[in-house]
Amino acid sequence: MQTKAILAQADVLNVLDAAQKEADSNSWPVTIAVTDDGGHLLALRRLDGAAPFSAEVASHKARSAALGRKETQVFEEMINGGRTAFVTAPLQGLLSGGVPITVDGHVVGAVGISGVKPDQDVQIAKAGVAAITG
């Protein structure tokens, strides 16, 4: 039988806090979502000034990154590169800003950010991931 790492509540809080620190340091009003490896929401933090819509988008980005086992930017680039049929995939949130959390080569969860420019969403998500992966 195999065993796997999972995100503990302390890990989730570290991710949220690090992502918020990155967003706050740039005055970016975003929503931060963290999921487990199956894309199930573990936490959501909507910062002051973030649009309500961003909560839904961040959750979908995190879920897509967890289930797809890659950054959602890859999916967005695939669609923008001409593979438009991929928009019919049974996932939502195929936009930049979803980043998987990988431990020992295995995805244990993901972070999704929504509220600012795509590269800024990614920057915040990666800051959250780095808080627990180094």
Side-chain angles (χ1 to χ4, degrees):
M1 180 177 292
Q2 296 181 358
T3 58
K4 67 176 186 175
I6 62 167
L7 293 174
Q9 190 62 41
D11 299 321
V12 173
L13 291 174
N14 286 336
V15 170
L16 287 171
D17 291 343
Q20 181 172 352
K21 182 178 177 184
E22 183 68 22
D24 286 347
S25 71
N26 290 287
S27 299
W28 293 335
V30 298
T31 295
I32 306 156
V34 180
T35 67
D36 65 13
D37 63 329
H40 305 284
L41 191 62
L42 296 174
L44 182 85
R45 186 178 290 175
R46 185 162 59 101
L47 305 184
D48 291 343
F53 173 75
S54 67
E56 192 75 19
V57 175
S59 298
H60 284 300
K61 288 180 180 183
R63 181 173 190 271
S64 293
L67 294 176
R69 304 294 196 246
K70 58 185 71 171
E71 291 189 31
T72 53
Q73 183 172 348
V74 171
F75 303 128
E76 183 175 6
E77 289 171 355
M78 184 184 332
I79 293 164
N80 290 341
R83 187 153 185 225
T84 55
F86 198 74
V87 298
T88 64
L91 294 171
Q92 296 177 0
L94 301 175
L95 303 168
S96 296
V99 176
I101 302 169
T102 304
V103 175
D104 295 328
H106 298 282
V107 173
V108 297
V111 181
I113 307 295
S114 179
V116 288
K117 294 177 182 177
D119 60 316
Q120 296 167 338
D121 284 346
V122 172
Q123 179 180 329
I124 298 165
K126 287 184 175 182
V129 171
I132 61 170
T133 62

